[in-house]
Amino acid sequence: MERFGLVGLPNAGKSSLYNALTGGGALAAPYAFATKDPNVGVARVPDSRLDRLAEMSKSRNVVHAAVQVVDIGGLVEGASKGEGLGNRFLGGIREVDAIVFVLRAFADDDVPGPHDPLEHLRVVEIELALADLETVESQLGRKLKAARADRSLAEEARALEAAQKRLADGVPLYRAGLSEAEREVLAPYFLLTNKPVLAVCNVGEDDLDAIPEIEDRVRRELAEHHPDVDIEVLGMCVQLEAEAAQLDEGERAEMLEGLGLGEGALTRLVRSAYHLLGLRTFLTTGDKESRAWTFRAGAKAPECAGRIHSDLQRGFIRAEVIHWDELLDIGSWQKAKELGKLRVEGKEYEVVDGDVLEIRFNV
Ligand SMILES: Nc1nc2c(ncn2[C@@H]2O[C@H](COP(=O)(O)OP(=O)(O)OP(=O)(O)O)[C@@H](O)[C@H]2O)c(=O)[nH]1
Ligand SMILES: [Mg+2]
């Protein structure tokens, strides 16, 4: 399962956010390094399309898509050189597919540490960039030499050189203005800042009105030097979201509504992280079960069939396909079939987010 990791300074609220997302019981406490070893849990991906299809089909069972969340120990200035928990955070971050920065913006005298999100961002970025710089510099000399003998390595050597320059200036690669091709060439080096990122600002419970302004400050900082860099920034009060997450559905909606928080930020965060990971959803629906399945953007029908069962991929003949909203309009799978609204797609069909599928197969 694809996973995203929560990364930030001590007391930023990572474990609190982790608990809210996964219903987990990680220790959240007002002292630094409360988390030492990573907590790993699963977050359900909320999906109203699925809920509505399940209602349409009167499904007895509803299964949402899910992603893994990793709560990583806090890092401090100098972490890449061994301060605090030192390099322990590196292993945790290396193993995730995308990074969610948790930047503290709440003031609370009982919780030590700075509460300026830009200060949090500065330290986190510097430490990750320094760790990457070390990796790049350990490879660069050898690569340049090899590229002189073998010209097919020139592109990789040039990308490493470009990365080295930006990292030495303290600029993480996700906003260094590298081309898509350069970032891809660098993939085998498993650099921390070559992963996709988004940022959460953890705003105090009395500061909800300031969310847009705080988001904007962080967004501008991230886009500095590269106005075309578009990193999503999500402001929320983790504490309130966590309290709401404990309630049952009706009470939760009421609480969030009362605070003017709409559907709540956790839902948006999980959806954004899911997309950041390059993940998409297709659906299946019937009276027994309606289910959301995860696939990688660009995957073809047989590969998607294989998410359901390997037999469906091996013996794939064709897929019957309709987009979820059209199916919902028609009112049932059977009726869609009778009306000739189910498309018949073959092995080369690229499945689209929100497609409802039925696989024909033979093994
Ligand atoms: N007032 C307030 N306190 C919060 C909020 N979010 C988290 N806290 C508190 O801040 C303290 C630290 O939260 P944690 O979730 O443990 O922080 P962490 O980022 O996991 O910290 P480390 O594991 O030490 O890196 C806890 O006492 C939380 O209850 C918030 O939105 N408002
Ligand atoms: Mg923690």
Side-chain angles (χ1 to χ4, degrees):
M1 201 185 281
E2 289 75 6
R3 36 168 64 183
F4 66 89
L6 306 178
V7 174
L9 305 199
N11 285 337
K14 301 178 295 296
S15 296
S16 306
L17 179 57
Y18 168 86
N19 288 340
L21 287 169
T22 63
L27 173 67
Y31 49 83
F33 311 121
T35 307
K36 291 200 170 60
D37 296 314
N39 299 298
V40 183
V42 172
R44 203 176 80 141
V45 183
D47 193 333
S48 61
R49 301 170 302 183
L50 174 67
D51 300 332
R52 292 169 69 183
L53 287 175
E55 201 180 312
M56 178 197 83
S57 302
K58 302 195 175 55
S59 309
R60 290 190 290 282
N61 202 13
V62 185
V63 185
H64 284 79
V67 279
Q68 265 186 354
V69 187
V70 188
D71 168 33
I72 300 167
L75 62 90
V76 290
E77 190 132 38
S80 57
K81 299 282 169 280
E83 293 294 323
L85 297 176
N87 280 335
R88 273 168 84 163
F89 74 92
L90 292 181
I93 303 175
R94 286 228 195 277
E95 285 169 23
V96 301
D97 306 295
I99 293 175
V100 172
F101 287 146
V102 181
L103 311 173
R104 174 172 169 186
F106 68 89
D108 185 333
D109 291 341
D110 295 331
V111 183
H115 57 84
D116 176 0
L118 294 188
E119 169 67 5
H120 280 244
L121 181 64
R122 183 186 70 78
V123 175
V124 172
E125 288 200 317
I126 278 291
E127 293 308 319
L128 299 195
L130 283 175
D132 278 351
L133 183 63
E134 205 167 298
T135 309
V136 167
E137 288 188 332
S138 73
Q139 306 282 334
L140 185 60
R142 212 176 320 150
K143 222 12 117 184
L144 285 172
K145 208 162 146 201
R148 278 195 288 273
D150 177 354
R151 295 191 59 189
S152 71
L153 297 174
E155 194 192 350
E156 190 172 330
R158 266 200 308 273
L160 268 182
E161 239 174 347
Q164 192 269 344
K165 272 206 196 77
R166 304 301 279 138
L167 292 167
D169 289 338
V171 180
L173 298 180
Y174 52 74
R175 62 181 182 94
L178 298 184
S179 69
E180 201 66 39
E182 283 174 313
R183 288 186 67 175
E184 204 156 297
V185 173
L186 292 172
Y189 295 94
F190 299 106
L191 300 167
L192 306 175
T193 66
N194 201 25
K195 296 176 193 282
V197 299
L198 72 79
V200 165
C201 303
N202 185 7
V203 175
E205 41 279 26
D206 303 324
D207 256 349
L208 300 180
D209 291 343
I211 286 178
E213 177 200 323
I214 292 170
E215 285 177 342
D216 212 50
R217 276 176 70 208
V218 173
R219 220 173 269 133
R220 261 183 288 147
E221 186 72 15
L222 284 166
E224 212 192 12
H225 308 306
H226 286 284
D228 49 337
V229 166
D230 186 20
I231 294 171
E232 186 167 354
V233 178
L234 257 171
M236 68 176 80
C237 175
V238 169
Q239 189 139 303
L240 289 178
E241 297 282 346
E243 281 167 27
Q246 305 263 330
L247 304 174
D248 69 37
E249 217 169 303
E251 286 175 318
R252 178 165 62 239
E254 200 172 308
M255 172 177 168
L256 292 170
E257 200 62 41
L259 291 164
L261 293 175
E263 60 175 352
L266 296 180
T267 304
R268 274 188 294 146
L269 171 58
V270 176
R271 270 200 223 114
S272 295
Y274 190 77
H275 256 83
L276 191 67
L277 288 163
L279 303 179
R280 303 290 181 268
T281 301
F282 74 87
L283 304 137
T284 52
T285 188
D287 56 353
K288 204 169 104 205
E289 178 178 281
S290 284
R291 184 158 177 164
W293 303 86
T294 296
F295 66 99
R296 288 223 150 260
K300 294 185 173 162
E303 191 184 331
C304 288
R307 300 300 297 228
I308 303 174
H309 196 284
S310 56
D311 281 354
L312 271 63
Q313 180 164 11
R314 214 153 39 86
F316 181 90
I317 301 170
R318 61 176 188 271
E320 290 172 349
V321 185
I322 184 169
H323 207 63
W324 74 276
D325 46 358
E326 198 184 351
L327 176 59
L328 206 69
D329 274 348
I330 294 171
S332 82
W333 186 266
Q334 189 56 36
K335 208 157 144 203
K337 190 171 203 152
E338 284 162 18
L339 292 171
K341 293 288 188 189
L342 300 180
R343 281 178 287 127
V344 174
E345 302 283 4
K347 290 193 168 142
E348 290 305 311
Y349 177 66
E350 272 189 24
V351 177
V352 176
D353 190 74
D355 273 350
V356 188
L357 301 186
E358 192 161 292
I359 308 297
R360 297 278 161 231
F361 71 108
N362 183 19
V363 283

